Amino acid sequence: MQVLSKMSPVPVTCLEYVHPWTQSCTVATAELMIVGVQYCLRIYAAVYALSLIMRGRIPTGPELVKTLRGWLQSTAFLTTNAFSYSIFMCTLRRLMGSFNFYTASYVPAFMAALVSIMVERSSRRALLALYVSNVATETLWNILQSRGFVRSLPYGEVAIFGLSTSVLMYCYRLNRQKNYRDSMFDVVRFAIGESEVMKPEPVTNAAPVADEPSSSSTTRTRKPKLPLPFIQSILQAYLQLTGRLKAMGKHKLCRHRYGCLYDTLSSGARMFSIGLGIQVVMKAVLQMRKFINRPALLRQTFLNKDIARLGLFLGGFTSIYKMSSCLLRHFTDSDSPLFAFPSGLLASAAFAFYSDNTIALYIMWKTLQITYNWGIEQGYLPRVPGFTVMLYAASTALLFHAATIEPENLRPSYWKFLHSISGGRICIMDRSGFDVYGLNTSGQIQSMMKLCKTDAVLQGQLS
C-alpha cells in the first residue's frame, strides 16, 4: 500500500470518522458533554474530598464553599476538554473539506485544550501542565522509538532520576525553598531533613553525648517493667547500640545532632519502614476481596520480596545520600552545595529497586519547573507569557493524537482514562481511512481494544 504524505488529504467525513454512532455533529457533542460531566463529577469529587481529609480537621463553612466551587470548576474544565475536541474536529473538516495527518487529531485537540485550560483556576494550571507533560514526554519517546529515531537505554529512567534529583538536591542545599515554595521541597525535607541545608554559619557540635543518659543508666533508672525478660534484654541491647552509634564522631560542619553513622542508619531505617508500610497498606486495601476469598494469598503476597522494593528505594536513597555527604565533608574538610551532585548521583542507584518511568519523568519536569522559575527570579531567563497554558495544550494535543492515530505508543492508563471520559466512544471511531499514512492505525486500535470493552458491548451501550 502506498504511504501518503502527512499533508495529503484523507477524504472521510466526520460522520464516518468522528461520530459513526450518530449522523448529527450536535448530538455527538451533547452526548460527549453529558457523559463527560458524569465521569468528571465522580473523579473530582474524590479528589476534592481527599484534599479536605488531608487537612486533618473539620472544614469551615467558607472552606466547604471554596471546595464546592473548585469541584464544579474543575469538572467544567475537563468536560470542556472532552466535548470541544469533537466540535473542533467537525468544524475543521467542514472548513477544509477533508482531514490530514495533523487535523485528524492534533490541531483540534490543541484548540480544545487551549479553550478548556482557561476554564480551570489559574492556580491549578501549572499542576495540570506538569502532569500531561509527564505523560506526553513518555509518549513522544515511544513515537520516536517506533520510527527508529531513538532507542531505549538500559537503566535510562535511573539516569533521568539521578540527574534530576541531583539538581533538585542542589537547590535544596541552597535553601531555595524559602524563596520558592514547592511541595517537592516538602518531600525532600521529610526524607533528608534540615541537616543538609546550607546555613550562613555552621552549627557547632551538640553537647557531648556522654552528658546525656547512657543506655545502661536509662535502663537502670526507668526500669521498664516488661513481662518477658527476653524482650527486656532486646530493648537493653538496642538502647546500648543506639547509644554507641550516637556517641560516634561527626564532622564539625555536619549539622545533624548525633554521629554520622547513626544519622545515616536511622534515616534510612525510617524511610524503609515508611516505604514498606505504604506497600503493605496498598496491597491490603486493593486486594482485600482476594484475601477474603483466598486467605492463602496473604502469605504469598506479604512474603514476596517485591513488597519491599519501595522501602529499599526510599531507605537506600536516603542512606546513600546522607552518608556520601558526610564523607565528602570529612575528606574535604569543607561543605559545599555542589556536594549534592555526587551524592545525588550515587543515591539514585537505589532507584533501580523501584524504577518507574512516571516517577523519573515527574521528578525531571518538577526540577525543570523549579529551575526555570528560579532563573526568572534571578533574571537569567525571560518570562514567557502563557508558557504554562501553551505547554498544557501542546502536551494534551500530543496525547490525543497518539490515542487517535497510534494508540500503542500511549500509556495504557491514559488510554483507559480517555475511554472512560468518552463513554467508550473513543474505541468506535472509524480510523480506517488513516491507514494510508502507514502506521497500521486500525491494527493498533484492535490491540488496544483489549484494554476496553468489546465493540459489540459499546454499541449496545450507545443504542
Side-chain angles (χ1 to χ4, degrees):
M1 183 183 66
Q2 182 182 3
V3 178
L4 297 182
S5 167
K6 296 298 188 293
M7 294 301 295
S8 300
V10 177
V12 297
T13 65
C14 54
L15 169 61
E16 298 167 333
Y17 161 49
V18 182
H19 45 81
W21 63 87
T22 179
Q23 297 183 354
S24 172
C25 300
T26 305
V27 171
T29 301
E31 290 178 349
L32 285 170
M33 182 176 65
I34 294 173
V35 172
V37 165
Q38 296 175 359
Y39 176 78
C40 296
L41 281 173
R42 293 196 303 269
I43 290 297
Y44 280 112
V47 171
Y48 280 92
L50 182 61
S51 67
L52 287 177
I53 295 174
M54 292 296 290
R55 296 179 183 180
R57 55 182 174 81
I58 299 177
T60 62
E63 288 177 339
L64 289 175
V65 172
K66 183 179 179 180
T67 301
L68 178 62
R69 291 180 58 184
W71 174 38
L72 296 177
Q73 189 171 1
S74 295
T75 299
F77 144 71
L78 195 53
T79 305
T80 302
N81 209 152
F83 75 80
S84 60
Y85 174 60
S86 174
I87 293 176
F88 283 116
M89 279 200 294
C90 295
T91 302
L92 284 174
R93 192 268 166 192
R94 290 178 180 273
L95 292 176
M96 302 181 65
S98 63
F99 291 104
N100 61 40
F101 184 79
Y102 301 103
T103 60
S105 184
Y106 189 90
V107 175
F110 182 87
M111 298 169 69
L114 204 60
V115 171
S116 63
I117 192 64
M118 303 307 295
V119 178
E120 183 58 285
R121 291 176 296 165
S122 57
S123 59
R124 281 181 48 83
R125 293 173 188 171
L127 180 64
L128 292 167
L130 185 69
Y131 169 72
V132 294
S133 298
N134 185 339
V135 185
T137 302
E138 180 181 345
T139 304
L140 179 60
W141 180 268
N142 292 337
I143 291 174
L144 295 176
Q145 185 173 346
S146 67
R147 287 158 171 72
F149 296 140
V150 298
R151 61 185 181 89
S152 295
L153 299 175
Y155 301 104
E157 68 279 2
V158 178
I160 293 174
F161 178 83
L163 292 173
S164 304
T165 303
S166 298
V167 177
L168 182 65
M169 299 306 296
Y170 174 77
C171 296
Y172 181 72
R173 285 179 64 84
L174 286 178
N175 207 17
R176 288 181 182 166
Q177 57 269 24
K178 284 190 174 181
N179 300 325
Y180 180 68
R181 298 186 61 84
D182 192 277
S183 58
M184 183 54 65
F185 285 130
D186 295 332
V187 176
V188 175
R189 183 183 297 107
F190 179 79
I192 303 298
E194 295 281 358
S195 63
E196 294 300 326
V197 178
M198 299 291 293
K199 303 293 183 181
E201 294 182 0
V203 178
T204 58
N205 287 338
V209 181
D211 294 340
E212 300 177 3
S214 64
S215 57
S216 58
S217 62
T218 302
T219 307
R220 288 194 303 268
T221 54
R222 295 182 181 177
K223 293 183 180 180
K225 297 180 180 180
L226 298 174
L228 297 177
F230 176 71
I231 297 179
Q232 185 175 358
S233 53
I234 290 179
L235 177 60
Q236 185 175 3
Y238 170 77
L239 292 175
Q240 290 177 349
L241 176 62
T242 54
R244 291 177 181 178
L245 291 175
K246 289 179 180 179
M248 286 184 176
K250 66 172 185 175
H251 194 271
K252 61 183 179 181
L253 295 177
C254 288
R255 297 174 179 83
H256 43 80
R257 183 178 181 184
Y258 299 110
C260 295
L261 184 58
Y262 174 81
D263 183 67
T264 299
L265 295 178
S266 61
S267 299
R270 178 175 64 91
M271 295 306 299
F272 173 80
S273 302
I274 291 174
L276 181 62
I278 291 174
Q279 288 287 83
V280 169
V281 170
M282 289 181 62
K283 292 285 186 181
V285 172
L286 297 179
Q287 300 186 31
M288 180 65 68
R289 184 176 299 178
K290 292 183 179 179
F291 294 151
I292 295 176
N293 296 331
R294 299 176 57 189
L297 287 176
L298 283 168
R299 176 183 177 87
Q300 181 181 350
T301 301
F302 293 113
L303 293 182
N304 193 315
K305 62 181 180 180
D306 289 340
I307 203 170
R309 290 172 60 230
L310 180 59
L312 290 173
F313 158 54
L314 295 177
F317 179 88
T318 304
S319 296
I320 296 173
Y321 182 86
K322 295 181 79 70
M323 177 55 71
S324 57
S325 297
C326 289
L327 289 176
L328 286 170
R329 285 189 283 264
H330 278 281
F331 290 152
T332 64
D333 198 25
S334 63
D335 196 10
S336 170
L338 295 176
F339 289 173
F341 291 99
S343 299
L345 290 174
L346 286 173
S348 64
F351 188 59
F353 288 114
Y354 199 77
S355 58
D356 184 84
N357 289 336
T358 302
I359 297 176
L361 292 175
Y362 178 80
I363 297 294
M364 182 191 76
W365 276 103
K366 258 298 182 184
T367 303
L368 289 174
Q369 179 191 22
I370 293 171
T371 305
Y372 175 67
N373 285 324
W374 178 81
I376 292 175
E377 293 174 359
Q378 299 298 316
Y380 300 142
L381 298 174
R383 184 181 297 276
V384 180
F387 176 78
T388 300
V389 172
M390 298 302 293
L391 179 63
Y392 173 83
S395 300
T396 303
L398 179 63
L399 298 177
F400 274 65
H401 158 83
T404 306
I405 305 298
E406 40 193 318
E408 288 184 346
N409 292 322
L410 187 66
R411 185 183 295 176
S413 60
Y414 199 83
W415 169 266
K416 293 179 182 179
F417 161 73
L418 294 177
H419 170 265
S420 299
I421 198 174
S422 66
R425 287 161 178 79
I426 189 175
C427 291
I428 61 175
M429 294 170 62
D430 185 6
R431 302 163 171 84
S432 59
F434 300 104
D435 287 336
V436 295
Y437 293 120
L439 297 175
N440 189 27
T441 300
S442 298
Q444 293 192 42
I445 290 297
Q446 292 301 319
S447 65
M448 295 300 288
M449 286 290 290
K450 298 177 182 179
L451 299 175
C452 313
K453 298 179 181 179
T454 62
D455 193 17
V457 174
L458 294 173
Q459 291 284 7
Q461 291 178 344
L462 296 174
S463 61

